[in-house]
Amino acid sequence: MLDFFRQAPWLTRRRLAAYPKLFLLVYVASAATWLMRSKGLIDPAGHPIGADFIDPWSASWLALHRLPQAVYDVPRLWSVERIAVDYPNVGFAGFHYPPVYLLLILPIALMPYAWSLLAWTVATFAAYLATIWKIDRERDALWLAIAFPGALVNLTNGQNGFLTLGLLGGALLTLERRPILAGVMFGLMSYKPQYGLLVPIFLIATGRWRAIAAAAVTVAMLAGLSLAIFGAQTWQAFFASIAFTRQVVLEQGGSGFEKLQSAFAAARLWGFSVATAYALQAATSLIAAFAVIWIWRRTANFALHAAALATAVLLTTPYMMDYDLVILALPIAWIALEGRRTSFLTWEKSLLAFVWTLPLFARSLAGHALIPVAPLAMLLLLADIARRALQVTGVDGRSGGATTA
């Protein structure tokens, strides 16, 4: 029985070619049923289609109408959200991003909500697929990316996980040959600052000074431009809103601790105090940071460096939602590429299959069974990357497009 998972003989190339297509058939059938039961832009559960897209669209509308500071005002943002989907009973969705994100999303309200959501989805999904294709140019790998449950969760939520993945993956893919471009993309990630906690540590530890400088300049320019366009009042409103986001959304689980997938959320789900949860998160973050630095020092294999960082950026923040699990597509692709290039380690194929399906059940398992499995799964994935680093010391892993500009 153990051999079934230790070697995973059932996970053959033929099945890997067939399984994603079966998943896609289920997705399409489910989506068609869901859309047919929806009324206009409201789904059967009473939520907007692309539920989490409503707050950036409404924020864009306010910014275009010269009211950027109002994106952090609950009544005013909520009033626009009702207009966006023409539904007075729509639930409130807060805008928890810094004003630099307004620069990126400013044009989206130039189109009606439905058309804007479609354009956003197509553009960011294309960036996601292009990034995975750059890592692994196998057709089967692309099908696995299309059918990845993390992509489905992000897509149905109308979220920006594809954009985050595209920037992080693009930065890592260009880091060695075009460090300034990589730094710019790292800097653009500042719209979601919780995922930039580990990046400066990684860049400093690896001595990538040109990338650090480019990232710093990009962040400074974005902040300055947003200040010039949207005014100091918008930044003041954002800083005032941080307390609400921290206390209500994160510490009190306003979005649901089952939706949050961090070590912090796992502790809160189990009833631990806020202080204990932060302590567990700090320990997890330190483990992840040390693992990334150790892997870099242990091996010259850049694919393992990139896979470790992509995994660790999720582990080092307490504010990580289930739709951001789409970022796991990056380490899965790099490790699978290494497995094909050399050979898969024991348990590795089963672990990759488990992590690939993780976004499909992580939220419901945490919500119904109080089993927050995502942090453990990501730690196991990071441990597997470290195990590979032990076995491939000195091997240059820059094949498969990992450093292609």
Side-chain angles (χ1 to χ4, degrees):
M1 184 64 181
L2 283 177
D3 283 340
F4 183 80
F5 295 104
R6 184 185 291 115
Q7 303 297 338
W10 46 275
L11 203 56
T12 62
R13 286 188 68 91
R14 183 177 179 182
R15 286 175 175 168
L16 280 174
Y19 287 163
K21 298 177 180 66
L22 293 176
F23 271 76
L24 278 173
L25 285 175
V26 175
Y27 296 165
V28 171
S30 301
T33 303
W34 178 61
L35 289 172
M36 285 190 294
R37 293 179 58 203
S38 300
K39 296 180 180 179
L41 293 173
I42 304 301
D43 70 14
H47 304 303
I49 302 295
D52 291 340
F53 187 71
I54 194 168
D55 54 282
W57 189 94
S58 301
S60 168
W61 190 94
L62 285 166
L64 288 171
H65 287 77
R66 301 184 180 181
L67 294 167
Q69 69 274 15
V71 304
Y72 303 107
D73 183 277
V74 173
R76 298 172 83 177
L77 181 62
W78 198 359
S79 66
V80 178
E81 290 174 349
R82 295 187 185 103
I83 296 170
V85 291
D86 192 23
Y87 185 60
N89 296 322
V90 70
F92 173 69
F95 187 81
H96 306 296
Y97 300 91
V100 295
Y101 190 41
L102 284 175
L103 292 173
L104 303 181
I105 63 170
L106 189 60
I108 65 175
L110 292 173
M111 292 186 288
Y113 178 85
W115 287 107
S116 184
L117 174 61
L118 179 62
W120 173 266
T121 301
V122 170
T124 56
F125 187 63
Y128 160 68
L129 292 182
T131 304
I132 299 301
W133 179 252
K134 204 72 172 176
I135 296 171
D136 191 343
R137 296 178 184 271
E138 285 270 338
R139 183 180 298 178
D140 290 345
L142 195 61
W143 277 110
L144 284 165
I146 294 170
F148 179 38
L152 174 71
V153 173
N154 183 80
L155 190 150
T156 54
N157 279 277
Q159 261 293 341
N160 51 30
F162 292 142
L163 176 61
T164 308
L165 180 145
L167 290 173
L168 177 60
L172 290 170
L173 286 164
T174 57
L175 184 57
E176 291 202 325
R177 292 188 179 179
R178 302 180 69 183
I180 294 177
L181 176 59
V184 170
M185 286 189 279
F186 280 134
L188 289 171
M189 285 178 61
S190 60
Y191 84 92
K192 220 162 186 175
Q194 68 268 32
Y195 291 133
L197 297 174
L198 189 58
V199 170
I201 298 172
F202 169 76
L203 294 177
I204 291 171
T206 56
R208 301 179 189 276
W209 307 112
R210 295 174 69 190
I212 293 170
V217 170
T218 301
V219 172
M221 289 181 63
L222 287 174
L225 190 59
S226 65
L227 182 64
I229 294 175
F230 305 126
Q233 300 91 339
T234 303
W235 273 97
Q236 291 168 358
F238 164 67
F239 287 125
S241 74
I242 291 176
F244 174 86
T245 302
R246 176 177 56 82
Q247 295 169 6
V248 177
V249 180
L250 178 61
E251 295 177 353
Q252 298 176 21
S255 298
F257 289 124
E258 72 281 357
K259 187 173 183 179
L260 288 160
Q261 299 296 311
S262 63
F264 175 92
R268 294 293 286 145
L269 185 70
W270 286 334
F272 289 101
S273 68
V274 171
T276 302
Y278 276 126
L280 179 61
Q281 180 62 58
T284 304
S285 299
L286 284 173
I287 291 170
F290 280 119
V292 169
I293 295 171
W294 181 87
I295 289 168
W296 175 80
R297 292 176 63 86
R298 180 73 188 188
T299 177
N301 188 311
F302 188 77
L304 298 186
H305 297 174
L309 183 62
T311 305
V313 294
L314 296 176
L315 282 165
T316 51
T317 173
Y319 190 65
M320 195 269 288
M321 299 289 189
D322 62 337
Y323 48 75
D324 284 322
L325 292 174
V326 68
I327 294 173
L328 289 174
L330 293 174
I332 290 172
W334 268 306
I335 298 169
L337 184 65
E338 286 297 295
R340 291 205 320 270
R341 192 176 66 87
T342 55
S343 62
F344 285 97
L345 307 179
T346 55
W347 303 101
E348 192 170 53
K349 289 167 70 175
S350 293
L351 176 62
L352 291 177
F354 175 69
V355 174
W356 189 86
T357 57
L358 176 68
L360 205 59
F361 59 82
R363 183 175 177 177
S364 57
L365 192 63
H368 297 296
L370 299 182
I371 303 176
V373 70
L376 176 61
M378 291 185 287
L379 283 170
L380 287 173
L381 187 62
L382 194 57
D384 180 72
I385 300 168
R387 186 169 59 129
R388 272 200 165 272
L390 281 171
Q391 299 196 14
V392 297
T393 302
V395 176
D396 189 338
R398 291 174 288 183
S399 60
T403 59
T404 303

